[in-house]
Structures are given as structure tokens and as C-alpha cells.
Amino acid sequence: MQLALTPRIQHALKKALDEKGLRSRVHQEEAQTAIDTSLDQAVGVSVALLQELAVFMSVTQGNHEKKDSGWFHELLQDSRVHSTPPPPPPPKSPAFEAYLEQLRQEQAEKEYQRMVQSAVTPAEEESVLRQQAKELKQVKGHVATIVNILFSMVAVATAVFVASSTMSRDIGVRVLLSITGAVVIGGVETVLYVQYVHRPTRISKKQKKQGL
């Protein structure tokens, strides 16, 4: 850590150098640099140098009664922590900039392709609508066929129940005959409808076999 150089510290360092109060060669060079530096510039002084300067000031204050000796804590009143400005960023090479630009273009192309693939084209939308309409038509056809089969079963059961009165007066026998007739007609119509529904599939398979 370093503290900012002030006029008081600079004066005390000059006095320490003049009286050879600094023993460390490194501190002597640092003190000389601080003395030669203009105060207009932001310069820092190491804590180790200030500690040795404190020893010099303490000895000077103890042995001599001089007005300019002062106490060490007075030298630090106007000082503050010195922060070294960060070094400027290294210049970017043209090759690195070109590589970054290539990566950005590739990423933009991937996002565009992903967006295009997820979009539904008008042709696809029209095909989906046609398929939905076809399925809805098939559902309606199935429902109508089921209603017709049920209606036929009810009609046949009613007819058999009425006609069987000429053969038997037993209600149970007549009900059994009507149910049998309804089941038979329902089964026949169901089989015929299933064959009708699967007829296009059988024709398609037959045509494929003939083509082979």
C-alpha cells in the first residue's frame, strides 16, 4: 500500500536525505524520486519508507529542538491512500477483431436459421388447415354413421317387437327377438361401414403391389 505524496512528506524526505537519516538504499532512491517529482503529479510513497522516515523524525524530535522537525503523524494529515491507475488495455490486434466479427456473424446466422425453421410457411399453414378440415369431416361422418346405426337398431327392434306379436304373446320372447334383431342389424351395418372406411387403404395397397 502507498500513501499520496504531500509537501510535508516531500520536505521531510529531503531533510532525511540531507542528514543521511535513511539507511536503506532502496528507500534512499525512492525518497530521491519523490523529491524530484512535481507535486502536480499523483505520486505514492511506500509505507515502509514512511516507517523509516518515522524513525528518523522520532530521533530528530528527541535529540534536537527544531521547529521544522514536527511529529510524524502531522506529516500524514493531508495524505491519503494512493491508488495506482490501471494500465491501459493492450491494443486489439486486427486478426482478433476479425475473428470476433466472424463469431458474431456465425451466431447471427444460426439465430436466423433457427427462426426461419421455426416459422410456418403459408403453404404449410394451408396444408394444416386442409388436414384439419378433412379430419373434422371424417369425425362428422363417423358421428352421423353411428347415429344412423343406432336409429336402424331402434327401428328394427321396434318392428320385430310389433311383428312378433303375431307369433307369440310372451313379452319376454318378443323383447328377446327385438334385441336379437337390433344387434344383428347393428353388426351388419357396422361391418359394412368399416369396410367402406378402409376401402381406400386396400385399393392403395393393391395399386402399390401391381406397380411392383
Side-chain angles (χ1 to χ4, degrees):
M1 185 181 70
Q2 292 184 334
L3 297 177
L5 181 65
T6 62
R8 290 186 179 184
I9 295 178
Q10 192 178 46
H11 178 71
L13 289 174
K14 184 176 184 305
K15 178 180 179 181
L17 285 179
D18 292 341
E19 299 183 10
K20 297 181 180 181
L22 302 178
R23 299 181 179 181
S24 173
R25 181 68 179 177
V26 176
H27 291 167
Q28 291 176 4
E29 294 177 355
E30 183 181 357
Q32 187 63 49
T33 303
I35 293 172
D36 297 338
T37 303
S38 173
L39 292 174
D40 296 334
Q41 301 178 3
V43 181
V45 181
S46 65
V47 175
L49 174 58
L50 294 178
Q51 289 175 346
E52 188 172 358
L53 180 60
V55 174
F56 167 75
M57 296 292 294
S58 177
V59 172
T60 303
Q61 181 65 21
N63 295 339
H64 304 281
E65 292 296 336
K66 296 182 179 180
K67 295 182 180 180
D68 58 349
S69 59
W71 291 102
F72 177 68
H73 64 84
E74 295 178 355
L75 298 175
L76 304 182
Q77 287 180 359
D78 299 332
S79 184
R80 63 183 184 280
V81 177
H82 174 74
S83 58
T84 305
K92 299 180 180 179
S93 64
F96 183 69
E97 288 290 338
Y99 177 70
L100 290 180
E101 183 63 25
Q102 181 182 358
L103 290 179
R104 285 191 289 267
Q105 292 179 358
E106 291 178 356
Q107 183 65 25
E109 180 66 21
K110 289 180 180 179
E111 293 179 357
Y112 175 76
Q113 293 297 334
R114 191 182 303 112
M115 181 180 62
V116 171
Q117 291 176 0
S118 61
V120 179
T121 62
E124 292 176 347
E125 185 177 1
E126 184 179 358
S127 176
V128 170
L129 292 177
R130 286 200 302 267
Q131 183 66 24
Q132 291 178 350
K134 183 178 179 181
E135 292 176 355
L136 181 60
K137 184 178 180 180
Q138 290 178 351
V139 171
K140 289 182 178 180
H142 294 330
V143 173
T145 302
I146 292 173
V147 172
N148 290 333
I149 292 174
L150 292 176
F151 180 78
S152 298
M153 292 175 66
V154 172
V156 169
T158 304
V160 171
F161 182 79
V162 174
S164 63
S165 63
T166 59
M167 296 182 297
S168 175
R169 297 286 183 178
D170 190 350
I171 299 298
V173 174
R174 294 172 63 189
V175 171
L176 182 61
L177 289 174
S178 62
I179 293 175
T180 302
V183 170
V184 170
I185 193 64
V188 171
E189 290 193 2
T190 301
V191 171
L192 293 176
Y193 181 71
V194 170
Q195 291 180 352
Y196 171 77
V197 170
H198 291 285
R199 183 181 178 184
T201 305
R202 291 197 301 270
I203 295 175
S204 179
K205 291 182 179 180
K206 186 177 180 181
Q207 291 177 351
K208 289 183 180 180
K209 289 181 179 180
Q210 290 177 356
L212 295 176

